[in-house]
Amino acid sequence: MTNAVKSKFEFRNPQSELVYHICLTAFGSAAILFQTRPFLVKRLLLPRSHKIALTKEIHRIGPAKPGQTKAVLDMCRDMKAYFEGVPLKTPWRFLDLGRLTPLQRSVLETVASVPHGQVRSYGEIAAQVGHPQACRFVGTTLARNPFPIFIPCHRVVRADGSLGGFGGGTELKKRMLSLEKQNA
């Protein structure tokens, strides 16, 4: 394993192991990966139509065991409600943002402030964080967003209004935006 891969997905904490919980939503099975001591969400995996594909992705990230906590069950409940049209609040206190640079964190915080049912362009986000020429940086940061849904990177589109990329694919992005517009 290369150092780049290790640092991107390094979940090792000598006092806590990686645990996952699968949430069944109206859009498919999603997963929350977390550590228990202290409780921190490490990653959120977008819904997949096939649970097998989701579990394979979990195990590609690293050794993990199934489990749950009250906080994870609450997040799962909130995610289920999101996929039924209910706005979702970002659970900041539970998200592990420790591996992010201050600018990456600023991008994610700005994206999290985009209201349910609205979109912003990569350029608008770049300008809001004080770096108007950093559209590509914004795109790269969002491509690596460890908490999609909780930090709604699907609400960021190209300047011309076209969807742009999304880790769950453009069809999922389109469905999520459509759901939000219906319930905004």
Side-chain angles (χ1 to χ4, degrees), residues 36-114:
T36 55
R37 283 178 258 135
F39 176 78
L40 279 175
V41 174
K42 296 295 193 170
R43 257 187 98 188
L44 183 121
L45 300 178
L46 291 163
R48 309 281 191 289
S49 56
H50 300 288
K51 196 173 175 181
I52 292 171
L54 184 66
T55 56
K56 283 182 181 178
E57 185 173 350
I58 290 167
H59 294 295
R60 271 195 302 270
I61 290 170
K65 67 177 190 174
Q68 61 189 27
T69 67
K70 181 183 179 330
V72 164
L73 293 175
D74 290 345
M75 287 179 195
C76 189
R77 181 198 65 231
D78 293 345
M79 259 197 322
K80 286 178 185 180
Y82 167 80
F83 284 106
E84 293 170 0
V86 177
L88 179 69
K89 286 189 174 191
T90 303
W92 290 110
R93 67 187 179 128
F94 295 129
L95 303 182
D96 184 0
L97 303 171
R99 295 179 307 272
L100 302 172
T101 68
L103 186 55
Q104 288 171 324
R105 189 176 182 145
S106 179
V107 166
L108 294 181
E109 288 169 351
T110 301
V111 168
S113 72
V114 176

